[in-house]
Amino acid sequence: MKKFLRRSGAALLAACTVWVVIATVESNSVAAAATALRDSFHLPTALMRLELGDLPGDKEMSLSTLLCLGQSPLLWAAYGQLPEEDPPAAKPQPVPAQPQPQPQPAPADENEWTQGLSFTDNGAPSQTVIPTASKSYTVAGNVYIKNSSDHTIDTSLLDGTFPAKLGDSTQPQVLILHTHGSEAYTMPAGEEYTPSGSYRTADTEKNMIRVGDEIAAVLSLYGISVLHDRQIHDTDYNSAYDKSYDSAAAYLQKYPSLSFVLDIHRDAISDADGKQYKVVSEEDPRAAQLSIVMGSNYSAWMDNFRLAAAVQAHLLKDHPTLMRPILLRPYGYNQSLCTGYLLVEVGAAGNSLDEAIYSARLFASAFAETLGAAKK
């Protein structure tokens, strides 16, 4: 037993000697050796932390590696300064898609004649009347004429001149009236009127009286003195032209300065099932197409017709498809009352009121310029 104890003590002493030698081998002084010997106690600490599952600095190293490091203070110190491992890169999170601006349709050019108009779709199908074949028409320059009368048209007279002239601007010069004042349009949802008949209303904000107001306003911008008869003459449809004749004759007698009369209507175009169509300009579908209807059963019809052709030609210069062909018919339409009398149809029942107002403004501007007026 004593022999075993002596051998164990000798082995322990040898191990301690080896430990001290290894721990202080690089020390060059007693103080440095003492410090190195003190630091060598990191190994037991490391072993304890290993047993607890807590490696120094959470660095993944084997026990044998730690034992070797612990035997060298220099390596152990350097080990303590090793940089921590970079944390695992965060998985890229999907970035929510930002709403991208959607391409918007280019708005139609705004101009002074579209102010205050919204052009809300009224749902009516549209068409554009563009005459191209001269076989069915008489053609004078850019003016197409549908001649339903018994007269032959001398196109050499359609040279842009006409007998009627503007008089004294301090006196009434142009009369606007409506043989069929109750005629109305197809309104968008929410803008309906109280009907007085099929596409007719007594509401003067929604019928031809409103269109006449717009024409009068534009003519006034050109310094033209305007009278607007806002009566509705077609409460009895069959006597409407008799009533409007009496009204126009009374104005012309009272105001001899009046040289021009505009009877403002709208057309109606429908299919066999009664479905109404709108007519629109090709270059600007917001504008309803217009047509001028001329009578020919009185002696001075050509004087009025020359005015109609001049106005149409002027309009078509800037608005090539705004006008449908001029209609020459074997009727009177009260146009025998003066040589500056035009019947103008603004759009059709399928058009919206805004489309009619827009084209009415364009017509009024061209009419004023044809008469030689300039915007003030």
Side-chain angles (χ1 to χ4, degrees), residues 107-120:
D109 291 337
E110 296 299 320
N111 57 64
E112 60 184 318
W113 308 128
T114 62
Q115 292 181 8
L117 304 178
S118 62
F119 301 106
T120 303

Side-chain angles (χ1 to χ4, degrees), residues 172-175 225-227 248 251-252 255-261 338:
Q173 298 168 299
V174 175
L175 170 65
S225 179
V226 182
L227 293 177
Y251 276 104
L252 290 166
Y255 302 101
S257 57
L258 287 171
S259 302
F260 299 91
V261 179
C338 72

Side-chain angles (χ1 to χ4, degrees), residues 128 214 242 275-276 311 316 324 336 347 350 369:
T128 302
E214 298 289 340
D242 292 335
K275 184 176 185 178
Q276 296 294 326
V311 173
L316 294 176
R324 293 157 61 196
S336 61
E369 292 170 359

Side-chain angles (χ1 to χ4, degrees), residues 331-364:
Y331 306 109
Y333 301 117
N334 298 338
Q335 293 170 355
S336 61
L337 287 169
C338 72
T339 58
Y341 203 124
L342 302 181
L343 190 161
V344 183
E345 292 185 328
V346 182
N351 284 100
S352 70
L353 178 61
D354 280 359
E355 292 163 352
I357 289 173
Y358 181 25
S359 60
R361 291 171 177 174
L362 294 173
F363 172 83

Side-chain angles (χ1 to χ4, degrees), residues 38-87:
R38 183 194 63 199
D39 290 341
S40 69
F41 285 97
H42 285 295
L43 179 59
T45 303
L47 292 173
M48 183 178 293
R49 294 178 66 185
L50 177 64
E51 183 69 20
L52 295 173
D54 182 21
L55 291 177
D58 291 333
K59 299 177 177 64
E60 298 293 340
M61 292 192 178
S62 66
L63 177 59
S64 59
T65 302
L66 290 171
L67 286 173
C68 292
L69 287 175
Q71 300 309 310
S72 171
L74 184 62
L75 291 176
W76 190 264
Y79 170 75
Q81 301 301 317
L82 288 176
E84 297 291 330
E85 290 182 2
D86 291 334

Side-chain angles (χ1 to χ4, degrees), residues 240-277:
Y241 272 101
D242 292 335
K243 292 178 180 178
S244 65
Y245 180 95
D246 291 342
S247 292
Y251 276 104
L252 290 166
Q253 183 177 7
K254 184 175 181 179
Y255 302 101
S257 57
L258 287 171
S259 302
F260 299 91
V261 179
L262 298 176
D263 188 1
I264 307 301
H265 297 241
R266 62 109 176 104
D267 202 355
I269 301 173
S270 62
D271 60 19
D273 297 325
K275 184 176 185 178
Q276 296 294 326
Y277 283 77

Side-chain angles (χ1 to χ4, degrees), residues 178-183 200 232-237 239-240 243:
H178 310 275
T179 297
H180 298 151
S182 69
E183 290 176 331
R200 283 177 161 74
I232 295 179
H233 294 99
D234 59 334
T235 50
D236 173 29
Y237 190 81
S239 62
K243 292 178 180 178

